[in-house]
Amino acid sequence: RAPMARSIARAPVARAARRRVRARASKSSKGGRFPPTAIVDARHDEFARARDCERARDDERACDDRVEAIWALSSREGAAACARLWARDDAGGTTTKRETTTTPRIVLTHKNENLYNAYACEMAAVTRPAARAMEVGMFAAANGGDGTTRACAGTRAEIMPLACAASAEELLETVEGMRVRVETRAVAFYHDCVARNARRMSSDEVSRRFRGVVARWSARGLDDSRDERSNAMRFAVVEGLGGYVFGLVTYAPSPSSLSARAVDWARKPRHFSAGTRAEIALACVNVASAHDPRAFDARSGDSVIVDPCCGSGTMLHAAWTRGFAAAGGDVSPGAVVMAKQNLSHFVARAPESSAMPNVIERDALVPGAFDDAYGCKGKRVRALVANLPFGRRVALGGGDGDGRSAPGASASEYAPALEKFRDVAERHVFISGVPIAHEMRALGYENVTEVSLCRFGKSFMTTALGSTATAPLEPSVAFTVEDALANAAGKSEKQWEKKSKKKSNVELSERFSNPDALCVAVDVSYEQDSTRARRSVAKQLCECVGIAHREDALAMTYCDFSGPIADESREFFFSDRWSSVKMDPRSVEEAFDARDVVYMSPDASEVLDEVDASKVYVVGGIVDLATRGMRTSLTRANASSFRCARLPIREHRPEQTHTVLNIDAVVKILCGRHRGESWDDVFDRELPKRQAAERPKRERRERLA
């Protein structure tokens, strides 16, 4: 008891220590837990007094050149190049100064793989000249001081670099030599690891040593509060593959920031499975409006952003949160209702300067569809953003959209819509399921750039800047479209090789002519009282088809396969292509000899010991929650004079109080026993662990009675 008491007493201390470490240092930028920091103007009087002015001016530009030199090289050469660069500077060498109109910034972004390329496009569009990636999740923006990156979906923090080195020890030596004094504000320190450096210092050591230096700069001491209302001057060390950067944090989004409001879209009342991610939608809006954001202002601007394929309204919500005038529509009445309900849910949290986007039911391909700017009087359409319809069930441009075997809409099928959209707006940003940049260029779009949002080429973001730019975007992406398509081809080839290594599927006639095959039938004649129950039965029947694909010695029949269950299976699980099972509209009594039938029921008194290939084992298709715990299958078997048996779960697993299993689970157990495995081995593998402690409704009823 004493060791246990000591461990319990130490637990709060350990948790507090872990919280302190998390507050001081971020192990990865994927979580994006950067402390909120209010906007800091580097030219503010307080900061001007923080350092010697002449040295500040020189160090800013020299540091910017060092950052440029370090991260312009590959990570392999980074350490050696940094050593040479710093040695030359210490010897009194000169560093070329670059004149910049505003203070340079380092912008940290999220590193989510399926969002990063969209963030890279966004960063390239809103900065001039375009921000260059120092490495994944870290950009150098020459004009970052003008605040253009603060509205970006991917921004985690803006940092004005003050010192840069190839290792933490070199950086610490430089920081210790700075003459800094903050008079009226507290200071704070934060360590962010974008990527682990080859010569890294541990996060705890970085926090301890740099915090000690920073704490001496202010008479008010350290304030590590993560409260967004804190006015502490926050300094940070950013660790990357190429080196370390020390700087002043000039901005970090708060929980109420624009990007946070975009993520808040997940709380909408109506959801759509193929909806656009809120972060990608905000990035698309930022790219579309980057050339003239004031023109899209809902109160004073004369332009509007239109989404002609609005779906659930994600693009419209992203533009709305930016304070832009937005409108959209959809050819589907259900989508229009969904978008209106979702947008109206966020009226209370929307910017006061903008009204809710107008959503109308409209086919964007009919003549004159954009003449009234989708109901926005007095405004013109200057930007068009859309997640174009794609998928196996989509019929676009004459395609059949015939479900699972269809490849989805092709680039040529998008041509009618793309040609219609071309002259509607100045800028276009599209999300599609296939590459469409080549088709857009052929149709006359100008300054087209395409990136893949998925490493395996499942979705793409294509921008056309038109005459608003002199050149297309050149984002610093993590992987190119060619890489994604090559990965997709390689993945498909691996899947094909994996499938080819499996046994070829046995013909249905061979299964039933095999005397050693296990015969299993599923009785689908039970009535289900809800759509959910019918869908569940159909799903379990589909799972059994997969079992039959893997088990060559399994002859399975679905008896009484007609009515609602057959309709659900056909519509949602493509039962017309189930080639491994027999779907028989006859009942069990009509399809089999009663002397060969063994009806499986958890309520039977007889225990099944061996699985005989000469018998037909019937499983009841019951998932109705209202009848679970009742002797439904036993009653059905006795009425037809069938032999009834149960699996020996109680004998081999007495702790397993729940013996009612899914259809596919029973089939797997019978197949395992038929292959010669012991009951213990089969139960260990197939019995659901989550039901081990559940008590059936029947036992609860008997206990209450």
Side-chain angles (χ1 to χ4, degrees):
R1 292 182 180 178
M4 182 180 295
R6 285 196 297 269
S7 64
I8 294 175
R10 288 196 299 265
V13 179
R15 285 196 296 269
R18 287 195 295 270
R19 283 196 296 268
R20 287 195 297 270
V21 171
R22 285 198 297 268
R24 296 176 187 175
S26 171
K27 301 296 183 183
S28 170
S29 61
K30 288 184 178 180
R33 298 188 301 268
F34 207 98
T37 304
I39 297 174
V40 176
D41 188 353
R43 294 166 295 184
H44 193 275
D45 292 341
E46 178 65 34
F47 185 73
R49 292 193 298 270
R51 298 184 305 168
D52 178 79
C53 294
E54 288 299 323
R55 181 178 179 183
R57 192 176 299 113
D58 292 341
D59 282 357
E60 265 182 26
R61 295 174 182 172
C63 177
D64 185 51
D65 289 328
R66 291 166 185 167
V67 171
E68 189 82 17
I70 290 174
W71 268 277
L73 302 174
S74 66
S75 58
R76 184 180 302 174
E77 302 171 352
C82 287
R84 290 195 299 270
L85 175 65
W86 283 89
R88 185 173 67 251
D89 289 340
D90 293 341
T94 59
T95 305
T96 304
K97 304 293 190 298
R98 292 192 301 107
E99 295 296 333
T100 57
T101 57
T102 57
T103 308
R105 291 288 189 273
I106 290 175
V107 182
L108 304 183
T109 66
H110 295 282
K111 294 173 60 178
N112 186 300
E113 183 177 274
N114 293 331
L115 300 174
Y116 181 77
N117 283 356
Y119 296 154
C121 283
E122 180 184 40
M123 204 63 61
V126 303
T127 55
R128 298 181 183 85
R132 180 181 55 81
M134 302 161 70
E135 57 192 60
V136 174
M138 191 173 180
F139 289 83
N143 67 339
D146 58 7
T148 55
T149 60
R150 291 168 191 163
C152 292
T155 298
R156 292 196 305 119
E158 282 183 2
I159 297 176
M160 189 184 73
L162 304 177
C164 178
S167 65
E169 288 80 3
E170 295 175 11
L171 182 66
L172 181 62
E173 183 179 352
T174 304
V175 173
E176 287 176 338
M178 288 183 175
R179 293 176 293 169
V180 178
R181 185 64 183 172
V182 181
E183 298 177 358
T184 61
R185 300 168 65 179
V187 293
F189 176 78
Y190 186 72
H191 170 226
D192 191 87
C193 180
V194 175
R196 289 179 174 266
N197 189 274
R199 302 168 59 184
R200 80 183 310 265
M201 179 187 293
S202 70
S203 298
D204 293 340
E205 188 73 7
V206 169
S207 296
R208 183 182 65 81
R209 299 179 68 177
F210 279 89
R211 279 168 56 86
V213 176
V214 172
R216 298 195 297 266
W217 291 353
S218 173
R220 294 178 178 267
L222 283 167
D223 178 12
D224 281 336
S225 171
R226 300 176 73 92
D227 189 351
E228 59 181 308
R229 295 170 294 182
S230 173
N231 67 340
M233 185 173 288
R234 191 179 303 278
F235 297 89
V237 168
V238 181
E239 176 185 351
L241 290 173
Y244 286 79
V245 174
F246 178 85
L248 173 70
V249 181
T250 57
Y251 172 72
S254 67
S256 60
S257 66
L258 180 67
S259 58
R261 292 201 302 271
V263 176
D264 190 50
W265 179 248
R267 297 182 176 91
K268 60 185 180 293
R270 297 286 300 276
H271 293 266
F272 182 50
S273 60
T276 313
R277 289 195 60 162
E279 301 92 331
I280 293 179
L282 182 56
C284 291
V285 169
N286 285 332
V287 172
S289 61
H291 64 300
D292 191 5
R294 294 182 179 178
F296 296 96
D297 186 85
R299 177 172 295 179
S300 59
D302 63 346
S303 304
V304 62
I305 296 176
V306 172
D307 179 6
C309 311
C310 69
S312 59
T314 312
M315 294 284 189
L316 300 179
H317 177 264
W320 190 20
T321 55
R322 284 292 321 264
F324 292 160
D330 204 288
V331 70
S332 169
V336 173
V337 173
M338 185 190 309
K340 288 182 178 180
Q341 291 178 350
N342 288 338
L343 293 172
S344 61
H345 182 72
F346 294 90
V347 169
R349 284 172 273 185
E352 297 180 359
S353 60
S354 60
M356 192 180 87
N358 190 34
V359 184
I360 58 178
E361 181 184 344
R362 178 174 293 180
D363 186 353
L365 300 184
V366 300
F370 294 88
D371 291 348
D372 62 345
Y374 271 66
C376 296
K377 297 181 180 179
K379 296 184 182 293
R380 59 193 181 102
V381 181
R382 293 188 61 191
L384 195 148
V385 295
N387 185 349
L388 298 176
F390 64 90
R392 294 175 299 204
R393 286 182 171 268
V394 173
L396 182 69
D400 52 8
D402 59 350
R404 184 166 293 184
S405 63
S410 63
S412 59
E413 285 186 279
Y414 283 120
L418 295 175
E419 186 175 8
K420 173 66 177 179
F421 297 156
R422 180 190 57 204
D423 301 325
V424 170
E426 298 174 352
R427 284 198 173 199
H428 304 77
V429 183
F430 296 129
I431 305 296
S432 61
V434 293
I436 59 174
H438 178 74
E439 192 70 27
M440 291 177 65
R441 295 188 185 100
L443 291 171
Y445 283 83
E446 299 178 10
N447 296 322
V448 178
T449 302
E450 187 169 54
V451 299
S452 176
L453 301 178
C454 172
R455 189 175 291 276
F456 294 100
K458 292 185 177 180
S459 60
F460 301 84
M461 176 178 175
T462 310
T463 62
L465 306 185
S467 59
T468 63
T470 57
L473 294 179
E474 295 182 359
S476 302
V477 296
F479 50 88
T480 64
V481 174
E482 291 74 17
D483 294 337
L485 295 178
N487 291 339
K491 184 178 180 180
S492 299
E493 185 177 352
K494 289 181 180 179
Q495 290 177 344
W496 177 256
E497 291 177 356
K498 186 177 180 180
K499 289 180 180 180
S500 63
K501 290 179 181 179
K502 294 182 179 180
K503 297 179 180 179
S504 59
N505 190 29
V506 179
E507 293 292 336
L508 193 62
S509 58
E510 296 181 15
R511 292 176 181 271
F512 283 89
S513 61
N514 183 3
D516 297 326
L518 172 65
C519 294
V520 177
V522 179
D523 187 359
V524 197
S525 63
Y526 293 88
E527 293 185 2
Q528 314 296 336
D529 66 345
S530 65
T531 303
R532 176 187 174 188
R534 290 190 290 271
R535 185 77 52 81
S536 180
V537 171
K539 182 179 179 180
Q540 293 181 40
L541 295 180
C542 184
E543 293 288 339
C544 293
V545 174
I547 299 173
H549 275 295
R550 297 187 294 271
E551 299 285 343
D552 292 344
L554 174 61
M556 181 173 291
T557 305
Y558 295 160
C559 294
D560 215 334
F561 191 77
S562 60
I565 299 297
D567 295 338
E568 291 281 338
S569 302
R570 187 178 303 106
E571 181 177 359
F572 295 99
F573 301 100
F574 304 97
S575 62
D576 294 338
R577 301 172 190 166
W578 291 353
S579 59
S580 302
V581 298
K582 180 189 293 185
M583 290 165 281
D584 197 335
R586 297 178 298 172
S587 64
V588 177
E589 294 87 345
E590 297 172 342
F592 302 102
D593 189 343
R595 294 171 295 181
D596 298 332
V597 172
V598 178
Y599 210 108
M600 305 302 300
S601 173
D603 304 307
S605 57
E606 180 183 345
V607 179
L608 184 67
D609 186 29
E610 296 294 336
V611 176
D612 188 357
S614 63
K615 301 296 182 180
V616 179
Y617 296 91
V618 180
V619 182
I622 312 172
V623 296
D624 187 357
L625 298 180
T627 60
R628 278 203 172 191
M630 300 181 180
R631 305 177 188 273
T632 309
S633 56
L634 181 62
T635 303
R636 174 70 60 87
N638 291 335
S640 301
S641 302
F642 290 145
R643 173 192 168 191
C644 199
R646 62 176 174 86
L647 296 173
I649 298 177
R650 300 172 191 171
E651 287 72 19
H652 293 267
R653 292 291 183 273
E655 73 281 0
Q656 187 88 13
T657 59
H658 199 111
T659 58
V660 179
L661 305 177
N662 286 348
I663 301 171
D664 54 307
V666 177
V667 174
K668 290 177 182 178
I669 291 173
L670 293 175
C671 289
R673 184 59 175 169
H674 179 256
R675 290 193 300 267
E677 300 180 33
S678 65
W679 286 115
D680 288 331
D681 292 341
V682 176
F683 288 154
D684 283 339
R685 185 178 66 252
E686 304 299 346
L687 284 181
K689 304 296 186 297
R690 62 182 176 82
Q691 294 182 353
E694 289 186 8
R695 188 173 296 275
K697 288 185 177 180
R698 181 185 66 253
E699 294 190 13
R700 287 205 301 268
R701 290 169 182 160
E702 293 176 352
R703 186 173 65 253
L704 292 175

